Amino acid sequence: MPRVHVSVLGAGAWGTALAALASAQADTVLWARAPEVADAIARHRRNPRHLSDITLPQALRATADFGEAMGHVLDAPTASLIVLGVPMAGLADICARLAQDLPTRRAGPLHLLWTCKGIDPDTLQLPHQIIAAHLPRRPWLHAGVLSGPSFAREVAHGLPVALTLAAGQPDTGAVGQAVYHGTQARIYTTRDIVGVEVGGALKNVMAIACGISDGLRLGTNARAALITRGLAEIQRLGIALGGRADTFSGLAGLGDLVLTATGELSRNRQVGIAIGEGRCLEDILAGGMTAEGVRCARAALALGRRQVIDLPITEAVCHVLFDGLAPREAVAALLSRDPRPE
């Protein structure tokens, strides 16, 4: 396949890491909302706001001009890929901005990948539903999600990673593999967008639960139980929403859950640890620590109730985060549930 043109929209930690990774095999531009960030990357090969201690590749270009970033892919003579490197909270806005630049007609496909993980707290929509609501329908716009066990810092440092790319059209998987597969990354493809998205969203909630357990010093047995039963909880909701069972035993399910529930770089786990050690959520968030699982927990519980799916760990996390339930009482409530077959 000829060299792909890639525009990564969003210069947060994950957007920066994915842009750096893509630049090894593709002609890559990183769009930063702030001009000073784009200028710092161009001049000093550093993102001053995210991963600021990591030197970015010389091949990576940066711009604060949205039109320039879009022109890079829309006017490219070869295959083109847009990567949305924004969190859930910014997905609708970036899609609305992107919609203004998309043409009504195009000769060949334009590929789009999103990387955010979560459930919208107001609409209970998954990312693909938000994108469908905010982007015009174009037969040549081929979209998918890139997910799996990955810390941005490790990817930016050049350490190995394996990810799942879920898309409706096989050519999107092929383009994603041409960009990312074979340097430090392995990219596996699937068509199960819903399963990949549910795995990515709920693993953050389960990581908070595991962090609370670790903060309470409940031991590795308890952590293993939470990971295992948490995975069953994720799978129940995912299947109810149309996901495939086998997705949850793969990278986007078990792999992402294990990483986020045990990794030292996991913000969701760190929030849980702080809560288990007795700090209140308001103080934790006021200190600058953010975690998608906090934003996702209530939405996941509401979505489960809509589907009449039992999500006991998610419910316990919500009670601790938002209702003032003491973490030890939440653990006791989980342990006192009626026995049942696995």
Side-chain angles (χ1 to χ4, degrees), residues 21-107:
L21 180 61
S23 69
Q25 299 186 141
D27 189 347
T28 305
V29 169
L30 173 62
W31 174 76
R33 190 180 301 274
E36 61 271 19
V37 172
D39 184 67
I41 294 173
R43 290 175 178 271
H44 309 296
R45 315 314 305 164
R46 299 288 178 100
N47 184 330
R49 297 185 181 178
H50 301 277
L51 309 174
S52 58
D53 58 324
I54 296 176
T55 301
L56 300 173
Q58 290 290 335
L60 175 62
R61 289 182 285 155
T63 182
D65 185 330
F66 194 82
E68 180 183 349
M70 288 301 299
H72 179 68
V73 289
L74 292 177
D75 301 334
T78 60
S80 301
L81 171 66
I82 297 172
V83 179
L84 302 182
V86 298
M88 273 291 291
L91 183 59
D93 287 344
I94 197 68
C95 285
R97 188 166 187 178
L98 181 61
Q100 297 175 8
D101 284 52
L102 290 180
T104 55
R105 295 183 180 181
R106 181 178 168 85

Side-chain angles (χ1 to χ4, degrees), residues 137-179:
R137 294 185 180 275
R138 299 285 189 265
W140 44 261
L141 185 62
H142 296 181
V145 55
L146 184 66
S147 188
S150 50
F151 288 138
R153 173 165 293 278
E154 291 190 1
V155 171
H157 268 303
L159 299 176
V161 66
L163 300 170
T164 296
L165 193 162
Q169 294 89 359
D171 61 341
T172 301
V175 168
Q177 287 177 324
V179 171

Side-chain angles (χ1 to χ4, degrees), residues 15 113 158 296:
L113 295 178
C296 179

Side-chain angles (χ1 to χ4, degrees), residues 113-203:
L113 295 178
W114 58 92
T115 63
C116 56
K117 301 174 181 180
I119 302 169
D120 185 86
D122 298 319
T123 65
L124 304 188
Q125 290 178 318
L126 292 167
H128 78 275
Q129 295 168 316
I130 296 173
I131 287 169
H134 289 85
L135 282 183
R137 294 185 180 275
R138 299 285 189 265
W140 44 261
L141 185 62
H142 296 181
V145 55
L146 184 66
S147 188
S150 50
F151 288 138
R153 173 165 293 278
E154 291 190 1
V155 171
H157 268 303
L159 299 176
V161 66
L163 300 170
T164 296
L165 193 162
Q169 294 89 359
D171 61 341
T172 301
V175 168
Q177 287 177 324
V179 171
Y180 287 115
H181 188 91
T183 52
Q184 69 195 58
R186 290 191 61 82
I187 307 297
Y188 295 85
T189 59
T190 177
R191 295 176 67 90
D192 186 12
I193 292 175
V194 170
V196 168
E197 288 186 329
V198 172
L202 264 71
K203 59 95 180 181

Side-chain angles (χ1 to χ4, degrees), residues 94-316:
I94 197 68
C95 285
R97 188 166 187 178
L98 181 61
Q100 297 175 8
D101 284 52
L102 290 180
T104 55
R105 295 183 180 181
R106 181 178 168 85
L110 175 66
H111 302 277
L112 174 74
L113 295 178
W114 58 92
T115 63
C116 56
K117 301 174 181 180
I119 302 169
D120 185 86
D122 298 319
T123 65
L124 304 188
Q125 290 178 318
L126 292 167
H128 78 275
Q129 295 168 316
I130 296 173
I131 287 169
H134 289 85
L135 282 183
R137 294 185 180 275
R138 299 285 189 265
W140 44 261
L141 185 62
H142 296 181
V145 55
L146 184 66
S147 188
S150 50
F151 288 138
R153 173 165 293 278
E154 291 190 1
V155 171
H157 268 303
L159 299 176
V161 66
L163 300 170
T164 296
L165 193 162
Q169 294 89 359
D171 61 341
T172 301
V175 168
Q177 287 177 324
V179 171
Y180 287 115
H181 188 91
T183 52
Q184 69 195 58
R186 290 191 61 82
I187 307 297
Y188 295 85
T189 59
T190 177
R191 295 176 67 90
D192 186 12
I193 292 175
V194 170
V196 168
E197 288 186 329
V198 172
L202 264 71
K203 59 95 180 181
N204 288 325
V205 180
M206 302 308 161
I208 292 175
C210 290
I212 291 172
S213 176
D214 289 344
L216 291 170
R217 306 294 190 268
L218 298 183
T220 52
N221 290 342
R223 185 200 297 164
L226 283 169
I227 291 173
T228 306
R229 297 312 306 163
L231 181 62
E233 199 162 301
I234 294 169
Q235 186 179 49
R236 280 199 299 275
L237 181 59
I239 291 174
L241 294 173
R244 289 180 4 204
D246 60 340
T247 296
F248 303 100
S249 62
L251 291 167
L254 177 61
D256 211 357
L257 174 60
V258 169
L259 179 76
T260 313
T262 64
E264 296 301 322
L265 294 175
S266 168
R267 291 173 296 177
N268 291 282
R269 178 173 178 265
Q270 291 300 323
V271 166
I273 289 173
I275 290 171
E277 291 175 341
R279 295 177 60 191
C280 69
L281 181 62
E282 292 77 11
D283 290 344
I284 296 169
L285 299 182
M289 186 180 294
T290 59
E292 286 283 1
V294 173
R295 190 172 185 268
C296 179
R298 277 178 171 157
L301 183 60
L303 197 54
R305 287 172 174 168
R306 178 189 287 180
Q307 297 292 326
V308 197
I309 299 295
D310 189 25
L311 304 176
I313 299 174
T314 302
E315 185 171 9

